[in-house]
Amino acid sequence: MAVFRDFNFKLLVVEQLMYRRELLTPQFRIADRMRERGVTDVQGWTFDNDLAFTVLEESRAYFAELEIPDDLLAKVEELCVDGGLEVYQECAPVWDGEDDLFDVRSLDDLDLLPNLRRVEGVEACAIMSVPDAVELLAARGIVAD
């Protein structure tokens, strides 16, 4: 199984495979996990426990341990870099996109995606914190727009 070096890059892949293409199942829902703990208002609980701008431990543990088979990674042809991704809401239910919580800091994990051809939103979104990201992607034949 693939080992990701950048947790936030992995989240971009999870967004594509789990929430957009629905190939990686079951879909993780933080509300379901929290309900098992007796929490019915995840957003309220997050604020009450001063966790508004952090990745909830339940989400971090799940996604960090989530194994993505190589055959699914080979199906990733496109990624989207955007502050409104569903996976971010499952990690930090009240995150407002105004900090660097989900910034991608490394493109080392590109090697795990042999068929990646396009990364949408790189130029418009501050979440890609890799210097010269557009140039690095282009050098691999990946369109960044």
Side-chain angles (χ1 to χ4, degrees), residues 19-117:
Y19 298 105
R20 291 185 180 221
R21 297 191 55 202
E22 299 181 350
L23 298 172
L24 186 60
T25 58
Q27 286 187 346
F28 175 85
R29 299 287 180 212
I30 190 60
D32 296 340
R33 295 290 170 108
M34 297 305 285
R35 216 175 353 268
E36 292 170 6
R37 295 179 48 193
V39 175
T40 56
D41 177 9
V42 177
Q43 290 184 343
W45 181 89
T46 301
F47 279 118
D48 292 347
N49 288 281
D50 199 28
L51 297 170
F53 302 102
T54 62
V55 174
L56 298 182
E57 186 53 40
E58 292 82 355
S59 301
R60 181 172 301 282
Y62 179 85
F63 289 120
E65 295 170 15
L66 180 66
E67 293 184 351
I68 305 175
D70 292 341
D71 65 314
L72 284 184
L73 292 173
K75 293 181 180 186
V76 176
E77 297 176 359
E78 180 177 312
L79 293 175
C80 178
V81 180
D82 183 277
L85 300 181
E86 188 168 347
V87 71
Y88 297 159
Q89 293 305 304
E90 298 301 336
C91 287
V94 295
W95 185 63
D96 62 5
E98 298 298 322
D99 62 22
D100 63 355
L101 183 63
F102 293 109
D103 282 10
V104 173
R105 292 181 171 80
S106 169
L107 293 178
D108 291 345
D109 294 325
L110 286 173
D111 292 336
L112 302 174
L113 306 175
N115 297 311
L116 183 65
R117 301 291 174 252

